[in-house]
Amino acid sequence: LHSLSLLRNQNQGGFLLLSGSSGIGKTRLAREVMSSARIQQIESHFARCIRDTPPYTAYQELTEQLRTSLALRDEDLPHQLWGTLEETWFSMMYGALSTETIDTLTPSLPDPESEKYLLFDTLRQMFVKILENEPMLLVLDDFMFADETSLELTEYLVQQLIVGEKQYPLLILGIFRNEDVNAEHPLNQCLMRLSTPNHVYNLYDLKPLSTDEVIEMTTSMIGLPPAPKAQQQLLLQSQGIPFFVEELLKAWHEDQQMMEAGDCWYLLSNAFAEADDEIQLGDLPPALQKRLQHRLKRLSKEARELATWVAICGQEASFDLLQALTSWSETQLLSCLEQLVQHKILSEDWTAGIERYRFYHPGITQTLVGELSKKETRQYHLQAAQVLKQTAHAESSFELLAHHFQAAGDQSQGAWYLLLAAEQQLRVMAYHSAKSLLQRCHKLLQRSPDDPLLIPSSSWWLRYHLAHFEWLEYVGEYREGLQSVQAALKQYPSQLDRAPLWRWEAAFYRHTGNFNLALECIQKAIAQAASGSEWRPFILQEAGRIYRVQGKHSAALETLQEALSWAEAKELTSQQGRLYGLIGEVLHQRGEYIEAKLKYQQSLQTATEQKDRYGEIEALYRLASLELDRGQTEDCIQHLEKSLELADELGAKRPQCVALGLLGQVQFARRQFDAAQATLRNALTMASELGTQSLESELLGYLGILFYCNQRYPSARIYIEEGLQKATQVGVHSVELRLRSYLCAVDTQQEQRPTTEIIADLKKLLRESEQAESVEAILLCRILMAHVLRLKKQEKKAEDQLIAARFFAQTTGNKRLLAAVEQEHYLLNLQ
């Protein structure tokens, strides 16, 4: 654009080169040069003809312009010869000069060189005659295909007309594809000569089109913008290269893959895909395959083989892995990699300090693999899997190993490594990717029921189901989890150790509120698991959780202490940290805040020492929850901010969601209602994305309570009832008690039921809370009962409930609910 401005405004010229991937130069040139919004209209006759007239008419007008400028007769320059390099045209230019000039210019040159020089100078004089009257833009498209003579001519014109003693308003614009120009290419040699002693050209490397530009280009061709999935497919396969965009659109149209729907177009291949489904690379049109094949043909045999290994590895590969696969020396490998990088087949980057190479375009993988037979493909993948297993990165490449084994035809090995990858994702709480991996495992399980490694008596089968149960618990699918574990128990041989399956059946019974059945499962699991069994501490932990939810805190503490002793005896430090946290939760629920804080701090210290970042996050938000109850809001916020920072750093969505929910409660306690609403909504969105119904029920309840305090009773009812429905569905009894209590208060405000009926429900909820020994639920029931009685003008009964609530809150040290008691008492006194 700078050079064009000089051409237009300062009557100066230049030599400009545009490089980029296939087709970018012409499209960008058309957008930049011909756009009146970017630059004033170039007034040269050449530019006007290209822009405003059909090609043949443009040739005619350009011929007339040359004839007038050079004062030639019509018969000296036939219209039909314009734009070619035929002998007649050269003869015409030769005739434009006098014999005296020729003899003067080339007295001593041999005939071939003399003719070439004569041709060059004839063209120079022709350009000078035009440039003396008006500026000119000379476009050299596909410049990478120029032969030696054409490059010499270009160099000559640059030296004579642009940087010579007299400079003319000529802009030479060369357009080439950078993947076709390597270090030995004649164009590169020409540019090196022009770089010394003075750099006489400007080189611009055009990047692929942006997403918005691809959409704009597509819309201009089709008349409608693409649907989101079609847009993703187009961007993936085109990589922003305009030529690729054009060819893909033409191919899809010819194959009748494009359909219009409303204000956009979509592809039939992904019209019914789910929002989170991964877009797959489809087949490339023949024109694009031919283009990629042409690029690959220029490679040496060794470089082609190396490119095939990268394709087998799956679009990218590290230097160490490629060296292991090829068994080449470092020098040979570097030489081939350099060739692939120069030809723009591979790009080099560093990820986590590892040197990696990846293809510029994903279609190269498809092209290379498509040239292999099925047998060759399987052999490549099998060798890749065997080599990868022996590298230092094997433990971080389980999914890739699964891919190689499956592609090699070994389904059982593929299933095993998919399971290992899923277990890794579960450990780091990456539950969405774990879900995908487990689903792929399940397909293999169904596809190969007779494989010895996949039958119910195998360790693989058991590990798959345990991982699946863990995922179901995380997303809150407790009833589906219960059905799954019961189906697994029917398939699993009775003579084998069923303790881990019974432990999970107990967990799902606990979540759905069937505590007696849960304890029966625990008893069966403990009876079968030997004292030294690896499953025993997990069974004891689950027993402790069941007792805690039931309100049997003494039994919960005894069981969890036994599990802690077992973990200490086996020196399982990470398990000790988890158990400190569980014991702290029991003490917290009993109102023993000082002892609970000590356990939470032990849990945090253990997690920090073991570099268990997820355990650290969990301990931090448990501490924050305790500090919220004790009214220590500054400490609470500090711990929440640190837990949120760690969760964001690790991408741990569930801990982040829990911490956001607690932060919303802190803001609510400080009466920062707008901030609390925004925080809780963010947490609710995250919980919905995670699919965790237990968290959703809690957050919906908090939002409903917030609306109730703002006297927005219809909204409060909507949120509380939705939260109650989810809590009942998944069996979160503590949340269910809290929300049923608040629903009674909403009924009172909206006069939905008689007061006697509402008070009777609150008394029933109080008895259930006392049976569960839930401090918060007991206090909340008494506070809400006093609230309802105050609204119904029954001041004496309300006072009695507040006195009992104040005593219990002071005894347990729950300052948060004690503040709620005092607030209600203040309103009662005003009344």
Side-chain angles (χ1 to χ4, degrees):
L1 287 176
H2 173 68
S3 298
L4 290 173
S5 300
L6 291 176
L7 178 67
R8 172 66 180 84
N9 301 321
Q10 301 178 23
N11 207 35
Q12 296 179 6
F15 184 26
L16 174 69
L17 290 108
L18 302 179
S19 71
S21 297
S22 308
I24 287 183
K26 287 175 283 188
T27 302
R28 281 285 175 84
L29 178 67
R31 291 174 58 83
E32 304 294 352
V33 174
M34 302 306 171
S35 173
S36 59
R38 296 285 183 93
I39 190 171
Q40 296 181 12
Q41 178 180 346
I42 300 175
E43 296 178 345
S44 74
H45 191 73
F46 180 79
R48 183 178 67 79
C49 286
I50 291 179
R51 184 177 63 252
D52 299 332
T53 62
Y56 183 69
T57 307
Y59 293 154
Q60 290 179 313
E61 294 190 22
L62 286 167
T63 302
E64 180 62 24
Q65 174 70 16
L66 283 175
R67 188 192 64 76
T68 303
S69 299
L70 299 175
L72 298 176
R73 295 186 302 275
D74 287 344
E75 58 269 20
D76 292 328
L77 186 60
H79 293 175
Q80 65 268 25
L81 295 179
W82 170 254
T84 70
L85 296 178
E86 299 292 339
E87 182 180 354
T88 306
W89 188 47
F90 292 147
S91 299
M92 174 277 299
M93 291 187 291
Y94 178 84
L97 298 174
S98 65
T99 306
E100 294 179 2
T101 305
I102 298 171
D103 294 340
T104 303
L105 289 173
T106 60
S108 60
L109 293 176
D111 287 344
E113 289 299 316
S114 176
E115 289 180 5
K116 183 172 71 173
Y117 188 84
L118 176 61
L119 171 63
F120 285 8
D121 199 68
T122 302
L123 284 169
R124 180 190 65 80
Q125 292 192 45
M126 184 183 76
F127 280 122
V128 167
K129 286 182 178 292
I130 299 174
L131 294 168
E132 285 175 346
N133 298 316
E134 59 185 352
M136 177 183 283
L137 170 67
L138 176 61
V139 182
L140 305 174
D141 194 13
D142 285 341
F143 204 20
M144 65 281 184
F145 296 138
D147 58 23
E148 292 281 358
T149 303
S150 301
L151 291 171
E152 287 181 35
L153 172 60
T154 305
E155 187 176 348
Y156 176 80
L157 293 175
V158 170
Q159 298 287 4
Q160 294 293 319
L161 302 177
I162 296 176
V163 296
E165 293 183 4
K166 183 176 180 181
Q167 299 178 3
Y168 293 90
L170 169 66
L171 174 63
I172 300 178
L173 179 63
I175 305 168
F176 66 93
R177 293 194 299 269
N178 52 20
E179 64 263 26
D180 289 331
V181 179
N182 54 28
E184 292 77 27
H185 195 281
L187 175 57
N188 191 58
Q189 302 298 320
C190 174
L191 295 180
M192 289 177 65
R193 291 193 297 271
L194 289 172
S195 297
T196 56
N198 298 315
H199 195 79
V200 298
Y201 62 87
N202 292 320
L203 176 61
Y204 297 96
D205 184 16
L206 297 178
K207 303 302 180 185
L209 300 179
S210 67
T211 300
D212 291 341
E213 288 171 331
V214 170
I215 294 173
E216 181 182 349
M217 180 180 176
T218 306
T219 305
S220 69
M221 293 177 67
I222 306 299
L224 290 172
K229 285 290 182 182
Q231 175 187 320
Q232 293 176 36
Q233 187 81 44
L234 184 61
L235 289 170
L236 173 65
Q237 294 196 238
S238 72
Q239 296 294 296
I241 301 173
F243 174 71
F244 280 46
V245 173
E246 293 173 2
E247 290 299 320
L248 285 165
L249 292 176
K250 285 192 293 184
W252 291 339
H253 177 72
E254 291 170 0
D255 294 341
Q256 298 183 343
Q257 282 291 308
M258 302 174 68
M259 298 292 291
E260 296 182 7
D263 57 352
C264 64
W265 62 269
Y266 63 91
L267 293 172
L268 291 177
S269 58
N270 54 34
F272 303 103
E274 298 292 336
D276 57 349
D277 284 353
E278 184 178 353
I279 295 295
Q280 300 295 324
L281 182 67
D283 293 333
L284 292 177
L288 300 187
Q289 291 180 13
K290 187 176 180 180
R291 174 64 61 83
L292 295 174
Q293 287 168 351
H294 173 73
R295 290 172 59 185
L296 293 169
K297 284 179 181 178
R298 300 196 303 267
L299 301 174
S300 67
K301 181 181 178 181
E302 292 77 11
R304 181 69 173 260
E305 182 182 352
L306 184 61
T308 302
W309 273 120
V310 178
I312 289 295
C313 289
Q315 189 63 21
E316 71 169 28
S318 66
F319 182 89
D320 293 342
L321 179 57
L322 289 174
Q323 191 169 27
L325 288 169
T326 58
S327 300
W328 292 349
S329 66
E330 185 173 327
T331 303
Q332 184 181 6
L333 181 59
L334 286 172
S335 176
C336 289
L337 285 171
E338 183 179 359
Q339 184 182 158
L340 291 169
V341 170
Q342 281 193 357
H343 282 81
K344 301 296 186 287
I345 301 295
L346 293 180
S347 64
E348 181 181 11
D349 69 354
W350 288 79
T351 304
I354 301 173
E355 191 174 9
R356 292 183 177 276
Y357 296 87
R358 56 168 50 91
F359 288 123
Y360 270 98
H361 191 280
I364 299 176
T365 303
Q366 190 180 91
T367 302
L368 286 164
V369 175
E371 295 176 350
L372 300 174
S373 66
K374 289 184 178 180
K375 182 178 179 181
E376 289 174 327
T377 302
R378 289 189 174 190
Q379 289 174 343
Y380 268 108
H381 279 291
L382 183 59
Q383 185 177 343
Q386 291 170 343
V387 169
L388 185 58
K389 283 174 65 175
Q390 300 172 19
T391 66
H393 308 292
E395 289 191 5
S396 60
S397 307
F398 287 149
E399 189 173 359
L400 186 56
L401 277 165
H403 164 71
H404 287 311
F405 275 117
Q406 285 184 266
D410 192 338
Q411 301 300 320
S412 59
Q413 283 278 65
W416 172 250
Y417 282 104
L418 279 175
L419 176 59
L420 293 180
E423 289 177 339
Q424 278 186 338
Q425 296 302 298
L426 288 171
R427 282 197 293 271
V428 297
M429 300 183 182
Y431 289 95
H432 273 301
S433 55
K435 174 186 177 182
S436 173
L437 292 163
L438 288 170
Q439 286 175 337
R440 290 161 62 186
C441 274
H442 187 250
K443 288 180 181 178
L444 291 176
L445 188 68
Q446 292 180 317
R447 191 184 307 166
S448 309
D450 299 327
D451 192 311
L453 292 176
L454 308 181
I455 61 177
S457 60
S458 69
S459 60
W460 185 97
W461 186 94
L462 180 61
R463 285 181 66 165
Y464 161 75
H465 280 84
L466 296 180
H468 185 225
F469 299 151
E470 183 178 345
W471 179 80
L472 287 171
E473 181 186 41
Y474 175 83
V475 298
E477 296 290 347
Y478 305 133
R479 300 190 190 284
E480 183 182 339
L482 188 58
Q483 293 172 359
S484 297
V485 74
Q486 288 172 346
L489 279 165
K490 290 179 181 178
Q491 295 179 6
Y492 202 61
S494 57
Q495 69 272 18
L496 298 179
D497 186 359
R498 292 182 162 201
L501 295 177
W502 279 322
R503 178 259 172 188
W504 273 109
E505 187 178 22
F508 290 123
Y509 273 132
R510 168 175 59 85
H511 284 302
T512 53
N514 296 309
F515 304 124
N516 291 331
L517 292 175
L519 287 174
E520 287 180 12
C521 293
I522 290 293
Q523 290 169 359
K524 287 189 287 187
I526 290 178
Q528 185 160 8
S531 58
S533 170
E534 59 178 321
W535 304 113
R536 192 171 185 84
F538 298 101
I539 297 168
L540 292 172
Q541 284 183 40
E542 183 54 41
R545 290 188 179 98
I546 296 168
Y547 289 135
R548 179 176 63 82
V549 174
Q550 281 186 304
K552 299 176 180 179
H553 295 144
S554 298
L557 284 174
E558 182 181 348
T559 306
L560 291 172
Q561 286 289 359
E562 182 183 349
L564 179 60
S565 300
W566 193 95
E568 289 173 344
K570 298 291 184 180
E571 297 183 353
L572 299 176
T573 311
S574 60
Q575 284 296 317
Q576 293 174 41
R578 304 282 177 181
L579 287 162
Y580 288 140
L582 290 173
I583 293 170
E585 282 186 334
V586 177
L587 296 171
H588 184 177
Q589 194 171 9
R590 286 213 314 193
E592 299 176 23
Y593 293 148
I594 295 175
E595 294 81 358
K597 185 172 184 178
L598 288 173
K599 291 299 180 184
Y600 286 159
Q601 288 174 336
Q602 281 182 292
S603 177
L604 177 60
Q605 181 181 352
T606 304
T608 305
E609 291 173 352
Q610 293 294 310
K611 297 182 180 180
D612 179 2
R613 309 295 293 280
Y614 296 95
E616 193 174 344
I617 295 169
E618 194 175 64
L620 283 167
Y621 67 64
R622 279 172 171 164
L623 271 170
S625 176
L626 178 65
E627 287 156 351
L628 175 62
D629 283 345
R630 300 186 72 187
Q632 299 169 342
T633 53
E634 295 299 329
D635 292 339
C636 175
I637 290 174
Q638 183 180 351
H639 283 130
L640 282 176
E641 288 177 346
K642 188 172 181 181
S643 67
L644 282 167
E645 181 183 345
L646 283 173
D648 185 58
E649 180 184 333
L650 298 174
K653 296 296 184 182
R654 191 178 192 281
Q656 189 176 4
C657 181
V658 173
L660 278 174
L662 284 170
L663 181 60
Q665 292 181 61
V666 175
Q667 293 166 335
F668 175 70
R670 289 182 158 190
R671 307 192 68 79
Q672 299 169 350
F673 295 132
D674 290 340
Q677 183 177 340
T679 303
L680 290 171
R681 285 191 183 279
N682 286 338
L684 180 60
T685 300
M686 193 175 295
S688 300
E689 291 173 354
L690 291 168
T692 311
Q693 293 190 55
S694 56
L695 275 176
E696 283 186 79
S697 66
E698 288 191 57
L699 293 165
L700 285 165
Y702 290 137
L703 279 166
I705 295 167
L706 187 149
F707 287 129
Y708 181 83
C709 293
N710 282 334
Q711 299 181 1
R712 295 169 59 182
Y713 304 122
S715 297
R717 177 179 291 279
I718 291 172
Y719 279 92
I720 291 173
E721 286 184 341
E722 186 178 352
L724 180 59
Q725 181 183 4
K726 288 184 180 293
T728 305
Q729 182 178 352
V730 298
V732 187
H733 195 53
S734 58
V735 176
E736 184 182 347
L737 286 172
R738 180 167 65 246
L739 297 185
R740 282 168 57 193
S741 300
Y742 265 101
L743 201 55
C744 289
V746 175
D747 287 343
T748 303
Q749 293 285 5
Q750 293 187 310
E751 298 184 349
Q752 296 279 350
R753 294 188 293 158
T755 305
T756 54
E757 185 179 326
I758 293 172
I759 294 297
D761 280 353
L762 283 170
K763 288 180 177 179
K764 180 181 178 182
L765 290 170
L766 178 60
R767 287 194 297 272
E768 290 181 30
S769 302
E770 288 172 341
Q771 289 172 0
E773 297 182 28
S774 174
V775 173
E776 181 170 345
I778 294 170
L779 281 169
L780 187 61
C781 282
R782 290 198 178 278
I783 293 169
L784 288 174
M785 203 178 303
H787 175 71
V788 170
L789 291 167
R790 176 178 63 81
L791 291 175
K792 294 302 179 181
K793 307 298 182 181
Q794 299 181 29
E795 290 85 354
K796 181 63 175 66
K797 292 181 178 180
E799 178 74 24
D800 292 341
Q801 292 297 330
L802 288 175
I803 290 172
R806 182 188 290 116
F807 175 77
F808 194 53
Q810 289 174 339
T811 302
T812 58
N814 193 320
K815 293 184 179 180
R816 177 169 60 91
L817 289 180
L818 180 60
V821 172
E822 298 303 337
Q823 181 184 0
E824 187 61 37
H825 198 271
Y826 171 77
L827 294 173
L828 181 63
N829 290 335
L830 286 180
Q831 195 167 291

